[in-house]
Amino acid sequence: LYDNENKEEPMDLTRMLEKCRRDQWHVNDLDWSVKPRPMTEHEERSVVQYFTDMASIELLAGALFEEQAKRTDDLTLRAIFETFVVDEQRHSEAARRLARHYDVHHYQSYRTNPSLVAFKPHFANAIQYLSAEVANYYIVAGELILDVALLRSLNDYVADEMSQAAMNLINRDESRHIAMDFYMAEHYANEARAGRLERGRVPPTVQAKALWAIGNVLYYGRPFFDEVFFGPMRLVDPSGKRLREAYKRIQLLHDHEGIAERPFVRFMTTLRRLYDHPSTRRWLGPVAVRLAGVDTSVMGTVYTRDDLERSRRMSFEELAEDAVGVKYAS
Ligand SMILES: [Fe+2]
Ligand SMILES: [Fe+2]
């Protein structure tokens, strides 16, 4: 996708769609007959539980792309998003199979984390009220945090060839997703600048429903994120390296030219800056953390001045490429 000679050329969506179709694969393409490495009881229980939860998380990602597909009038874009829905469903299936594969001793029966189950309907309800642009910011963050950082760290923790084989194929899909996520961020920013993003007046009843839906997402999002993401990450990413990397990419995107002025991004950046300043952190820190739904370790700015200068010279495609590179870096 990035092998076009002129980096300034916008993404060729027709080529992207071809790539999406060409790179489809099936869970049965993998050889599931290999034996899992020996694991301690604690490892096996953790790994099977995490893959069980991952199967649900992948479907959340699929739901977001389904919504993106519905929102666009561009047939090529819609077709691309539709392949992403299929990708995420396949990742879910792969995670389910991995859970079964590592469930060697059947120490217990495994069920999806209850906070994740509670969060899901509110999330599905809320996404219909988000603008396509804001939904895309949630997709960028969700993919970098869950589809990349969590999955990648989990794979390291499992340290087994079966998981690695699945991950190689999943990562190939994710690099297409992230390229599109960044592309769409730029696309909406351009549309806004050209005055094409203006929305009609929203009736008060719809506004009230939207507020209710988003309030529920914030309320149920916190335990979901703590139990399904930050908790497991403490075990599979003990140094917090991947966690910080993922947030760094999000923050750098939010501070990129053209993006930084967008209202939703400004809101998120304001929360971060409140947290960066010791005086406002004292008073408003807990509110900011609650609204951003973020662990305190990544609530403030995590990039350096050098990171920012480097990223500001990069195009959105290069930013996406860079974020994907992080995923493959060991
Ligand atoms: Fe995925
Ligand atoms: Fe994805």
Side-chain angles (χ1 to χ4, degrees), residues 88 143 147 174 177:
E88 302 295 12
E143 292 230 289
D147 251 5
E174 292 308 339
H177 298 182

Side-chain angles (χ1 to χ4, degrees), residues 17 20-21 24 62 64-72 74-90 177:
L17 177 58
C20 292
R21 287 181 172 151
Q24 290 297 307
L64 277 169
F65 284 128
E66 214 173 308
E67 198 64 28
Q68 291 289 79
K70 263 194 251 165
R71 301 282 183 91
T72 180
D74 183 310
L75 293 180
T76 314
L77 265 184
R78 186 180 302 163
I80 290 172
F81 288 134
E82 280 165 358
T83 70
F84 289 1
V85 175
V86 176
D87 291 344
E88 302 295 12
Q89 284 165 350
R90 182 173 52 243
H177 298 182

Side-chain angles (χ1 to χ4, degrees), residues 39-59:
M39 286 187 192
T40 66
E41 180 176 340
H42 175 69
E43 279 177 327
E44 182 177 316
R45 282 181 190 268
S46 310
V47 164
V48 178
Q49 184 60 52
Y50 295 166
F51 278 128
T52 303
D53 293 337
M54 203 71 217
S56 274
I57 290 171
E58 297 287 347
L59 293 180

Side-chain angles (χ1 to χ4, degrees), residues 7 9 36 71 99 155 180 241 252 284 289-290 298 309:
K7 286 263 182 193
E9 280 288 299
R71 301 282 183 91
N155 180 50
M180 283 305 295
K241 187 175 130 233
L252 287 172
L284 296 165
V289 166
R290 184 76 208 209
V298 284
E309 276 170 16

Side-chain angles (χ1 to χ4, degrees), residues 180-197:
M180 283 305 295
D181 298 342
F182 278 72
Y183 170 85
M184 292 307 288
E186 182 182 23
H187 169 76
Y188 290 127
N190 288 342
E191 291 289 289
R193 205 168 314 121
R196 284 194 294 263
L197 265 197

Side-chain angles (χ1 to χ4, degrees), residues 154-166:
L154 174 54
N155 180 50
D156 285 351
Y157 180 77
V158 177
D160 183 64
E161 64 178 301
M162 188 69 246
S163 165
Q164 187 61 55

Side-chain angles (χ1 to χ4, degrees), residues 274-327:
L274 283 177
Y275 206 81
D276 280 339
H277 281 275
S279 53
T280 41
R281 184 195 309 161
R282 256 215 353 254
W283 301 106
L284 296 165
V287 181
V289 166
R290 184 76 208 209
L291 287 173
V294 156
D295 190 76
T296 51
S297 67
V298 284
M299 187 60 215
T301 301
V302 291
Y303 60 70
T304 64
R305 196 176 284 271
D306 283 350
D307 290 332
L308 183 64
E309 276 170 16
R310 189 171 155 266
S311 93
R312 284 200 166 149
R313 287 194 298 268
M314 291 160 82
S315 68
F316 286 87
E317 288 174 84
E318 289 168 327
L319 285 177
E321 216 177 10
D322 210 44
V324 171
V326 168
K327 175 167 77 165

